[in-house]
Amino acid sequence: MEGKSAVRTLLHALIGGAVTLLVYYLAAVVRGPEVEYIQWNTTHALVLTVLGLAAGAAWGSRQALERWKTLEVILVANLALVFGLLFLGWGFVWKVAKPLNTLFPGTRDLVYGFWFIASIVAAYIIRKPGTALAAETLAALAEFLAGGEWGLTLLISGIVQGGMAEIVFAATGYKRYDLPTLMLAGAAAGIGSLVVDYMFWYYDLSLNVLAIMLVARLISGAVLSGWLGKAIGDGLYRAGALGSFAIAREE
């Protein structure tokens, strides 16, 4: 069943990315001279393609949620609530780290990766299609409802970040949840986060700064979400709190 879900998720992701890129190409290149405000830009093309990939993955993994057990739904909801509140508090860390950008623009993003951790922890524990997407989206919703200062953009970020992490797990057929896979999923979520932030906040930054931010988020996502997420999951497992979930059966 996981194999079919993985194929469906990846197929929808590829279709979403390809269609998004094609529409942009047709609008910017084929009809560009007639529509002055739509012009081809490689950065914009990459951004839209990533958005299409994440949206496609989200759509492709939605059916898998119907096969979840009640206990799994409750766990994801609780994790999302806890991490949503932690995400809200992490905004303080983000502000404290602002001087890093003064020393070297873009390096503050080394602390950004914690905002993806809900997708990693939930997926590591439950190990079912759709988990990363659902957990990250619900955590973003919890942060928004708790008064997150970035408003509805939090929900968009949650969907895209969760969708990008979901693609990594789908690529393994939802069979690998070792540290390298978790770190790769965290890094993928980092790519999604920068895409959303570029659309809303960072569209006027130079490519050099954006490149530094991307590297910082890849590292941060791998460590603060991937490595730390596994550490949290292992800690809960050793405490005996996860005996009813896949992490206990497959360890």
Side-chain angles (χ1 to χ4, degrees):
M1 190 65 70
E2 280 76 8
K4 291 182 179 179
S5 295
V7 172
R8 184 186 304 112
T9 298
L10 291 175
L11 181 60
H12 278 78
L14 291 174
I15 292 174
V19 169
T20 304
L21 181 60
L22 177 61
V23 170
Y24 177 59
Y25 175 81
L26 292 175
V29 177
V30 178
R31 300 183 62 231
E34 302 173 13
V35 187
E36 295 182 357
Y37 56 86
I38 301 180
Q39 297 181 352
W40 178 264
N41 180 290
T42 302
T43 302
H44 293 171
L46 291 173
V47 166
L48 290 171
T49 300
V50 171
L51 286 176
L53 287 170
W59 183 257
S61 62
R62 75 193 189 285
Q63 293 182 353
L65 302 179
E66 300 173 359
R67 298 191 296 272
W68 282 20
K69 299 177 181 178
T70 302
L71 196 59
E72 293 167 341
V73 174
I74 293 174
L75 176 65
V76 168
N78 285 329
L79 287 174
L81 177 59
V82 171
F83 281 115
L85 295 176
L86 289 175
F87 288 172
L88 186 67
W90 197 254
F92 175 75
V93 177
W94 179 247
K95 292 178 180 178
V96 170
K98 188 175 182 179
L100 290 175
N101 275 349
T102 303
L103 297 174
F104 203 90
T107 54
R108 178 167 72 154
D109 288 53
L110 287 170
V111 305
Y112 201 105
F114 184 77
W115 275 309
F116 325 140
I117 196 171
S119 62
I120 305 303
V121 173
Y124 181 51
I125 293 172
I126 294 178
R127 307 188 180 191
K128 281 189 174 181
T131 307
L133 172 68
E136 191 69 16
T137 302
L138 290 175
L141 176 61
E143 183 183 3
F144 166 69
L145 294 176
E149 62 181 291
W150 292 284
L152 287 173
T153 62
L154 291 170
L155 297 180
I156 299 174
S157 294
I159 294 171
V160 174
Q161 290 162 189
M164 291 299 290
E166 194 73 37
I167 289 174
V168 173
F169 294 120
T172 72
Y174 294 105
K175 297 183 182 300
R176 291 188 58 183
Y177 293 89
D178 53 8
L179 182 58
T181 301
L182 297 176
M183 294 181 73
L184 184 59
I191 296 174
S193 73
L194 185 57
V195 163
V196 175
D197 287 350
Y198 174 82
M199 289 176 55
F200 288 103
W201 322 110
Y202 299 147
Y203 48 83
D204 58 347
L205 293 180
S206 69
L207 288 178
N208 288 337
V209 174
L210 288 171
I212 294 171
M213 293 172 68
L214 176 59
V215 172
R217 292 200 190 190
L218 290 173
I219 296 172
S220 185
V223 176
L224 292 181
S225 285
W227 178 82
L228 182 59
K230 185 178 187 302
I232 291 174
D234 288 341
L236 292 172
Y237 168 66
R238 287 193 294 268
L242 303 175
S244 300
F245 300 97
I247 186 175
R249 296 190 295 271
E250 298 176 16
E251 284 295 316

